[in-house]
């Protein structure tokens, strides 16, 4: 725990009354070093000094001269490394969009406060503040070269993790999603956001997807043999759907593994704009005719849109996690969740909610009647060998969740 006295806090608000009020609350909470400013320029002058640069800024986003959003732009320009709490009398949606804006700049946002500021909420947010590590440099993610990635795939360094999908109504395990990881000899376990996009750029995505499928399908067979009627999902890139040979590959491999097409779910997002949709549309339609299940992933994010829903015969709609986790407490998210759910129902598609992180999210799904849940609350993605132990544990847990 950081000593309260050691945190340097700056309160920025154009109203003198607010400044005094918040400063007093902070002092009462035991924060010793609180400075106030009534305009952005004065605050930026402080941020610019090594001595007085605050660890935390409470920022009023509605100010007459330099508004909060402009102030944040200057903070980014000055490479501010502390934290931020946004304060406003505006409604939550404005605060949320400013919060998103700041997150895009890698400044830590501890949260937001709606005026009138309540001491309990203030205390909870300020309590999250950690001092910026001395001399820390932002960790830059490694960018793998084409030959590194190619070698990794060829050497069998990709491993599949599996995350369960469970029926909300019964808690029954109905499927699992395959999520690829790169078991890198030097860097350890590397997550897909660090190499799937690159594989697309380097033209290696077919190799990657084939590697994933070629171990996922035998795994699906193993589970079926063990009496688990799971549908196994695999993520496809739109780039996989550019050539008809991919279709033959999937059909051939599924038959060879002895997995019925209806037990394989193909999750699709549109990560890039397609030049020509005809081939992908043809492949998806033919896969569907062969009884493979098609799922639209990350629905609602702009990568997966209404136009796709109109054009492609999907069986399943995955509501993006950004509309799920915390939706019970957030009007905007909940509206989008409900709209997605209703759309899926009207189109007779099964609904999967991603990002179910806690009991409150789970309860919300039960109340809304969503079909399937996936998320950390149920299980984190795991290697196949951990699945039986998780399953035994889940059988115990699920009783209490219904
Ligand atoms: P996705 O298909 O939407 O997969 C869900 C992601 O959310 C996974 O991240 C999963 O670990 C994470 N997740 C699951 N439950 C929770 C939760 O409760 N809270 C939060 N915050 N996150 C949760 P992961 O494994 O890092 O994968 C990221 C993305 O990479 C996937 O998103 C998918 O688009 C892509 N990807 C993964 N494997 C493959 C693959 O084999 N091929 C292709 N083309 N893309 C893949
Ligand atoms: Mg997916
Ligand atoms: Mg998703």
């Amino acid at each position: 725990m950081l000593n309260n006295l050691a945190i340097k806090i700056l309160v920025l608000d154009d109203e003198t009354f607010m400044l005094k009020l918040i400063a007093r609350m902070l002092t009462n909470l035991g924060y010793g070093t609180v400075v106030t400013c009534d305009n952005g320029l004065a605050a930026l002058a402080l941020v610019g000094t090594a001595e007085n640069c605050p660890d935390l800024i409470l920022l009023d986003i509605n100010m007459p001269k330099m508004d909060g959003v402009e102030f944040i732009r200057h903070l980014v320009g000055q490479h501010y490394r502390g934290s931020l709490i946004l304060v406003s009398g505006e409604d939550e949606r404005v605060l949320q969009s400013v919060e998103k804006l700041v997150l895009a700049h890698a400044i830590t946002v501890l949260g937001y406060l709606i005026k009138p500021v309540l001491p309990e909420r203030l205390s909870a947010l300020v309590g999250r503040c950690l001092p910026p590590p001395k001399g820390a440099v932002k960790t830059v993610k490694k960018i793998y070269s084409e030959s590194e990635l190619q070698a990794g795939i060829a050497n069998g360094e990709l491993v599949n993790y599996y995350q369960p999908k469970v029926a909300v109504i019964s808690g029954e395990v109905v499927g699992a999603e395959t999520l690829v990881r790169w078991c890198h000899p030097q860097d350890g376990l590397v997550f897909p956001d660090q190499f799937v996009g690159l594989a697309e750029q380097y033209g290696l995505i077919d190799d990657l997807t084939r590697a994933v499928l070629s171990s996922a399908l035998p795994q699906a067979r193993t589970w079926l043999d063990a009496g688990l009627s799971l549908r196994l999902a695999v993520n496809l890139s739109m780039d996989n759907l550019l050539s008809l040979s991919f279709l033959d590959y999937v059909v051939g491999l599924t038959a060879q593994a002895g997995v019925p097409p209806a037990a394989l779910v193909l999750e699709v997002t549109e990560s890039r704009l397609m030049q020509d949709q005809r081939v992908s549309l043809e492949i998806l339609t033919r896969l569907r005719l062969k009884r493979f299940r098609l799922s639209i992933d990350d629905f609602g994010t702009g990568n997966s849109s209404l136009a796709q829903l109109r054009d492609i015969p999907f069986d399943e709609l995955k509501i993006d996690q950004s509309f799920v986790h915390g939706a019970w407490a957030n009007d905007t998210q909940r509206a989008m969740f409900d709209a997605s759910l209703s759309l899926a129902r009207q189109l007779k598609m099964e609904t999967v909610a991603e990002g179910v992180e806690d009991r409150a999210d789970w309860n919300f799904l039960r109340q809304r009647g969503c079909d399937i849940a996936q998320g950390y609350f149920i299980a984190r993605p795991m290697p196949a060998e951990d699945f039986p132990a998780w399953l035994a544990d889940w059988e115990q847990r699920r009783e209490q969740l219904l």
Side-chain angles (χ1 to χ4, degrees):
M1 245 323 259
L2 180 66
N3 178 354
N4 284 358
L5 287 171
I7 308 182
K8 282 183 270 181
I9 304 180
L10 167 69
V11 189
L12 173 55
D13 199 305
D14 60 300
E15 288 172 73
T16 327
F17 167 72
M18 269 319 271
L19 286 178
K20 285 196 181 137
L21 184 74
I22 297 182
R24 173 134 16 95
M25 283 184 191
L26 288 167
T27 316
N28 290 344
L29 291 168
Y31 294 94
T33 325
V34 182
V35 207
T36 60
C37 283
D38 67 2
N39 69 83
L41 280 178
L44 286 172
L46 278 178
V47 172
T49 63
E51 232 5 28
N52 298 315
C53 179
D55 302 308
L56 169 64
I57 302 174
L58 274 81
L59 168 65
D60 175 23
I61 59 174
N62 317 82
M63 293 184 294
K65 287 190 197 121
M66 184 192 295
D67 65 50
V69 176
E70 187 184 354
F71 179 76
I72 290 165
R73 186 153 49 73
H74 291 297
L75 276 186
V76 173
Q78 295 201 12
H79 305 287
Y80 173 67
R81 291 199 283 115
S83 305
L84 203 61
I85 292 175
L86 305 169
V87 188
S88 172
E90 297 285 332
D91 72 41
E92 246 181 303
R93 285 182 59 191
V94 175
L95 279 161
Q96 283 165 2
S97 61
V98 177
E99 188 179 8
K100 286 248 159 60
L101 203 80
V102 188
L103 286 173
H105 289 300
I107 291 179
T108 310
V109 191
L110 302 178
Y112 51 80
L113 291 166
I114 299 177
K115 291 178 183 177
V117 173
L118 304 172
E120 308 81 60
R121 171 98 176 128
L122 178 69
S123 163
L125 286 185
V126 180
R128 295 182 191 165
C129 186
L130 296 170
K134 289 275 172 285
V137 224
K138 255 196 248 155
T139 48
V140 183
K141 279 194 175 162
K142 182 168 168 185
I143 300 194
Y144 293 99
S145 71
E146 181 175 346
S147 55
E148 281 175 295
L149 184 52
Q150 192 164 30
I153 299 172
N155 297 338
E157 289 166 14
L158 298 188
V159 277
N160 288 344
Y161 273 48
Y162 299 94
Q163 187 178 35
K165 288 170 154 178
V166 304
V168 173
I169 198 161
S170 61
E172 192 190 341
V173 183
V174 291
E177 176 174 5
T178 311
L179 294 157
V180 67
R181 271 89 181 98
W182 182 0
C183 207
H184 193 281
Q186 276 86 44
D187 302 343
L189 205 61
V190 182
F191 284 78
D193 62 333
Q194 266 192 275
F195 62 90
V196 169
L198 285 178
E200 288 173 350
Q201 275 179 41
Y202 297 149
L204 293 171
I205 194 68
D206 262 341
D207 295 346
L208 181 145
T209 307
R210 287 170 193 233
V212 170
L213 277 166
S214 66
S215 62
L217 284 164
Q219 184 59 57
R221 187 64 251 171
T222 306
W223 279 328
L224 290 174
D225 290 341
L228 290 171
S229 58
L230 295 184
R231 282 189 197 133
L232 194 62
V234 169
N235 291 285
L236 296 188
S237 157
M238 271 293 180
D239 291 2
N240 291 134
L241 305 174
L242 294 177
S243 85
L244 289 168
S245 63
F246 182 76
L247 174 100
D248 299 332
Y249 177 79
V250 175
V251 173
L253 198 68
T254 315
Q256 192 190 326
V259 173
L264 184 64
V265 182
L266 301 166
E267 295 190 6
V268 192
T269 52
E270 193 168 24
S271 48
R272 292 195 247 152
L273 272 186
M274 288 282 103
Q275 301 291 334
D276 180 355
Q277 293 209 337
R278 274 171 301 182
V279 180
S280 51
L281 198 58
E282 174 180 341
I283 297 179
L284 288 171
T285 309
R286 286 175 57 196
L287 284 166
R288 171 66 198 265
L289 285 169
K290 293 180 191 304
R291 301 286 178 264
F292 289 93
R293 285 178 68 84
L294 303 182
S295 167
I296 183 165
D297 204 351
D298 304 335
F299 185 73
T301 60
N303 291 334
S304 289
S305 63
L306 289 175
Q308 279 188 304
L309 211 51
R310 178 197 60 205
D311 296 336
I312 303 170
F314 289 107
D315 303 276
E316 175 184 282
L317 182 148
K318 293 189 84 171
I319 306 178
D320 190 67
Q321 41 185 274
S322 61
F323 305 122
V324 175
H325 173 53
W328 60 275
N330 179 308
D331 296 343
T332 312
Q333 273 175 279
R334 198 164 53 243
M336 296 179 180
F337 181 95
D338 286 342
S340 309
L341 198 67
S342 138
L343 196 57
R345 280 196 187 127
Q346 290 177 59
L347 297 173
K348 310 219 170 4
M349 296 163 67
E350 217 163 12
T351 46
V352 182
E354 304 185 294
V356 181
E357 290 196 6
D358 51 35
R359 178 76 196 245
D361 292 340
W362 171 263
N363 290 345
F364 173 70
L365 298 190
R366 286 188 56 84
Q367 186 216 354
R368 285 316 205 245
C370 175
D371 300 314
I372 297 169
Q374 180 182 350
Y376 296 162
F377 178 66
I378 297 135
R380 295 203 169 238
M382 64 188 102
E385 55 272 25
D386 294 351
F387 211 85
W390 169 79
L391 200 61
D393 184 57
W394 176 251
E395 287 307 323
Q396 303 285 314
R397 254 182 90 204
R398 73 184 248 210
E399 307 286 304
Q400 292 122 49
L401 298 176
L402 305 178

